[in-house]
Amino acid sequence: MRQGVEIGGPVAQFKAFFRLHWTRGAAGRETPEWVWHFAYRTWLLALLFKLLGSSWDESWHFKFLRDDLAPPHLINTLGTGIAVVLVAIHTFTGMAATRRSQRVVQSGLAVFLIAAPLDVINHRVNGLDLTAWSPSHALLYLGTALMIAGLIDGWVAAGPRGPGWTLVLGSLWVFFLENTLFPNGQQEYGTLEMTSCMPNGVLDANSCYAERELLEFAAQQIGRPVDYTAIEHFALPIPSWVYPLWGIGVAALVLAVAAKTIGKAWTATAVAGIYVLYRAAIWPLLVAGDFPPSTVPFYLVFVGLAVDLVRRSNLPHLAEAAVGALAVTALGYGALFVQEQLLDAPPTAWWSAPIALVGVAALWAAGRPIAQRLNA
């Protein structure tokens, strides 16, 4: 019977799971390999729906004021619905999860489900939220990050080893990286939004990607006409030091942990490269659908490369942290500068490089004792 379930399709496995294993159990309960794979494939599907919905949603909000029941929200909600069902299944059966991973995933879903209505209330009270960096949005990212972190923890601790183990773990890390870098989309879409409003270097609000209704709403929020200041406040309201510190410094730390957990050569480069490839692939799709595009963070591949080169050097931990921070800062900021010259990139405060250097070194050095404490 087990073999038949393994070779059956998703529907057959779904039916078989409820027929054979739908009983209450504690987290960490013995789980057949096919159940692990079925559960995590379904999780990857849920995260894919959330990824596609959120990618379209960010572009949508640089074009339309209309928000309720927007198609991107419906796609994202489908992913959330699948996640809710999966958490309920893990919680009831205790299967395909460890005790810690289940708690982390449950906490992430709780944060997300609390944040979602708070975000709706925020929009109703304060008007359309025009930045990806708002508190209610931050809670949505945090909830998603906790869910993915719990999945990673469970898969690393107890997921069945085999040909698919690395593929599942790598996919989860790509989703985690995308969720982490999602707020930077504010600047990546915003910089091209400003360019669209400035044909031949002269402001023309009628040429903006954003509809006039959205530009007028954004201008009214700060009590101005639709002028350069109002459009810039809508498109690029975030200080220019945030983008590189988050896109290089924080991304490097995520990639370093991904490389450590997966343990394969060139892991960080691969995870960063797959994320960049996705961003490059949706660019023409958005343009074809008459939606605003964003700049693509090509420089991120060099951040991943820096992480991999340092990890391959087999340095002592503190030396690795120092050299890693130096390599990430040099290659990351250098690649971002080249991208700015050759293509497009958001406004960047280059003086933030020393801050990134110190921050990455300190947090990289703290990674090992933090991991030891969590696993104690």
Side-chain angles (χ1 to χ4, degrees):
M1 178 65 188
R2 182 182 173 212
Q3 181 65 23
V5 170
E6 288 180 333
I7 63 175
V11 175
Q13 291 190 9
F14 182 81
K15 292 178 179 178
F17 172 78
F18 280 96
R19 185 174 68 253
L20 299 173
H21 300 297
W22 187 247
T23 56
R24 181 177 292 278
R29 174 183 173 187
E30 184 177 354
T31 304
E33 286 190 16
W34 73 266
V35 174
W36 273 101
H37 287 292
F38 177 63
Y40 270 73
R41 282 198 299 268
T42 309
W43 267 111
L44 293 178
L45 179 64
L47 293 170
L48 179 61
F49 279 123
K50 289 179 66 63
L51 169 66
L52 295 174
S54 61
S55 297
W56 189 9
D57 184 56
E58 195 159 28
S59 179
W60 180 283
H61 285 299
F62 274 91
K63 183 177 178 68
F64 295 123
L65 176 61
R66 299 183 301 279
D67 187 42
D68 292 339
L69 299 179
H73 289 184
L74 299 180
I75 296 173
N76 199 299
T77 300
L78 177 59
T80 302
I82 296 173
V84 170
V85 172
L86 285 166
V87 172
I89 291 173
H90 287 303
T91 301
F92 181 78
T93 67
M95 291 186 127
T98 65
R99 183 176 301 177
R100 183 171 70 181
S101 72
Q102 186 180 95
R103 286 199 302 264
V104 176
V105 172
Q106 289 169 336
S107 299
L109 181 62
V111 171
F112 189 92
L113 294 179
I114 291 171
L118 287 179
D119 190 48
V120 172
I121 294 170
N122 177 46
H123 285 210
R124 291 289 182 269
V125 173
N126 299 315
L128 184 65
D129 195 345
L130 295 175
T131 173
W133 291 91
S134 69
S136 59
H137 289 161
L139 285 175
L140 293 173
Y141 311 145
L142 175 61
T144 302
L146 286 171
M147 281 189 279
I148 301 174
L151 293 171
I152 290 171
D153 185 61
W155 189 255
V156 169
R161 296 302 195 267
W165 187 83
T166 299
L167 180 61
V168 170
L169 185 56
S171 300
L172 289 171
W173 275 114
V174 172
F175 284 121
F176 190 94
L177 179 67
E178 186 278 334
N179 179 70
T180 301
L181 293 180
F182 184 84
N184 262 6
Q186 172 75 48
Q187 295 94 303
E188 290 165 349
Y189 279 95
T191 191
L192 293 190
E193 181 75 47
M194 288 299 301
T195 300
S196 74
C197 298
M198 301 286 292
N200 302 315
V202 179
L203 179 67
D204 180 3
N206 294 321
S207 76
C208 294
Y209 291 133
E211 290 189 336
R212 184 75 185 193
E213 181 186 21
L214 175 55
L215 295 176
E216 289 176 352
F217 179 88
Q220 289 170 4
Q221 284 195 315
I222 61 173
R224 294 190 65 88
V226 180
D227 56 10
Y228 183 90
T229 300
I231 294 174
E232 184 180 45
H233 185 267
F234 153 64
L236 293 171
I238 308 301
S240 59
W241 56 266
V242 173
Y243 184 78
L245 288 181
W246 200 260
I248 296 173
V250 174
L253 296 169
V254 171
L255 292 170
V257 178
K260 176 69 174 177
T261 57
I262 296 175
K264 302 288 186 180
W266 309 112
T267 292
T269 307
V271 170
I274 292 169
Y275 168 71
V276 170
L277 182 63
Y278 167 74
R279 291 289 305 276
I282 64 168
W283 193 95
L285 295 178
L286 291 170
V287 172
D290 195 29
F291 284 92
S294 71
T295 63
V296 177
F298 293 107
Y299 66 89
L300 188 64
V301 175
F302 293 89
V303 176
L305 181 62
V307 171
D308 282 331
L309 288 173
V310 172
R311 283 186 49 80
R312 288 175 65 85
S313 301
N314 295 318
L315 299 170
H317 178 63
L318 292 181
E320 180 185 87
V323 175
L326 184 61
V328 162
T329 304
L331 284 181
Y333 275 82
L336 180 56
F337 178 79
V338 172
Q339 177 172 333
E340 183 185 61
Q341 304 306 308
L342 299 180
L343 299 169
D344 285 296
T348 298
W350 302 106
W351 53 260
S352 63
I355 300 174
L357 174 65
V358 173
V360 171
L363 292 173
W364 192 321
R368 179 173 293 178
I370 290 174
Q372 290 172 344
R373 185 175 183 85
L374 288 176
N375 294 321

